Amino acid sequence: MRVLVTGSAGFVGSHVVEALEEAGHDVAGLDLRNGEDVRDGAVLDRMLPGVEAVVHQAAKVGLGVDVADLPDYTSVNAYGTAVLLAAMARHGVSRLVLASSMVVYGEGAYDCPRHGRVRPGPRVAGDLARGLFEPRCPRCGSPMASATIGEDASLDPRNAYATTKLTQEHLAANWARETGGTAVALRYHNVYGPKMPRGTPYSGVAAIFRSALEAGRAPRVFEDGGQRRDFVHVRDVARANLAALSGGAAGALAAYNVASGEPHTVGEMAAALAAERGGPDPVVTGDYRLGDVRHIVASPGRAAEDLGFRARIAFAEGVKEFAGAPLA
C-alpha cells in the first residue's frame, strides 16, 4: 500500500515510517523539517496522487506554556488537519489513521465508594496550591479510587493541546461521513522511547526527566509524584499504527486507546530512569500545572479485540533502553 506519513521525521512519525517499511508498504514522508507543511494545499496536491492511506502524525504537542500558544496549536493541529482532509477528498484518498491522544478524556475514570463510577471536574487551583492533588467525588466529596478508562467515556479536554486533538477527531469524523472514508483515531497514552525530543515545556514528562539526568540534574517531579499514567513504548505505538491501517469501518471514525495496560506513577518513571543512569535521585517539588490531570489509566481491550494490537515492551525493558538512548 502507498502510505503518506505526515510528521514523518518526528519522534513517533519516524518510528511509524520504519514499521510501515518493514511491513512492505511504500511510504512517502511529509515533514515541516523538510520544508513540507501539512497546511500547504499545494504540497499535499503534489504528494497525494497515488496514495491509498494517510497516517497523520504531524502536530504541535505538549501542554504548552500559556494562552499565547493557542494560535499555534489551532493552526497546526486543527487547521492543518482540515487542509489535509480536504486534500484527501480531492484526491480520493479514503483511509486515515490519526494520532490522537489520551488528553481528550481530561481526568481519567474514578470510583466513589457511595456513587460508583464518576468523572470529576477540573481541579481547583486553591486545592493544588495546598497540596490537595487527588480529585474528590463531585457529588459527595469523598475520596475516590482511580480506574481504567475506555473509549466510550465522555471527553473533557482541559488545555489547548487537548482541545485541538479532540478537534482533529471531530474533523476526521466529518470527513469520513461526507466521503465514505475510513478513519481510525489512536489515542496515545504517555509515549516514550528512543529519538524522543529533549525536554522543553512542550515535551512529555519522560523526556523532561531524561534530559535532566543527561545534564547531571535531578529530575523534578511535580505534585507528589503519585500521578498514575500508562507509559507505552514508541515501537509499540508504531505497531498500533500499522495495525490500524486495516481497521475501522467506512463512513465513520473509530477511536482506540494505545497503551501498555501496565500503569505506573510519574514518580516511578523518574526513579526508574535515575536508577538506570546512576542518579541523581528525583526531587518531588509539589509544583503543579493547572492543565494537568491527576490520573489517566487506559483500558487497552478494544484495540486488542478490533485491531489485534497488544503492547509487547514491558516498562522495565523500555525504561532500561530509554535511559541510554539518544534524544532528538
Side-chain angles (χ1 to χ4, degrees), residues 94-244:
S94 60
R95 180 168 288 277
L96 172 73
V97 177
L98 170 67
S100 187
S101 172
M102 65 171 192
V103 296
V104 300
Y105 295 118
E107 279 288 350
Y110 293 82
D111 290 327
C112 169
R114 291 181 58 193
H115 297 107
R117 183 62 49 89
V118 296
R119 294 293 301 282
R123 294 181 295 172
V124 178
D127 288 344
L128 296 172
R130 293 193 299 273
L132 303 176
F133 302 123
E134 294 288 344
R136 292 185 172 263
C137 176
R139 296 177 62 184
C140 68
S142 296
M144 301 182 295
S146 68
T148 57
I149 195 163
E151 291 86 350
D152 293 331
S154 60
L155 305 180
D156 184 18
R158 298 189 178 179
N159 54 64
Y161 175 59
T163 299
T164 56
K165 295 309 285 186
L166 181 54
T167 299
Q168 287 183 319
E169 289 196 17
H170 288 323
L171 290 169
N174 295 158
W175 166 85
R177 283 194 299 271
E178 294 186 25
T179 66
T182 300
V184 176
L186 300 179
R187 292 175 179 165
Y188 300 164
H189 285 250
N190 286 66
V191 187
Y192 74 99
K195 298 192 285 188
M196 198 171 190
R198 294 183 180 278
T200 75
Y202 304 94
S203 298
V205 67
I208 293 172
F209 294 158
R210 171 70 171 73
S211 295
L213 289 162
E214 188 174 63
R217 301 191 307 271
R220 293 175 57 81
V221 179
F222 279 19
E223 302 187 15
D224 60 2
Q227 309 94 303
R228 296 176 75 232
R229 298 290 188 269
D230 189 307
F231 294 96
V232 58
H233 196 278
V234 68
R235 287 198 297 276
D236 280 329
V237 172
R239 289 179 44 251
N241 278 268
L242 180 61

Side-chain angles (χ1 to χ4, degrees), residues 253-272:
L253 178 135
Y256 297 95
N257 286 324
V258 174
S260 71
E262 184 186 354
H264 290 272
T265 68
V266 170
E268 287 171 342
M269 170 59 86

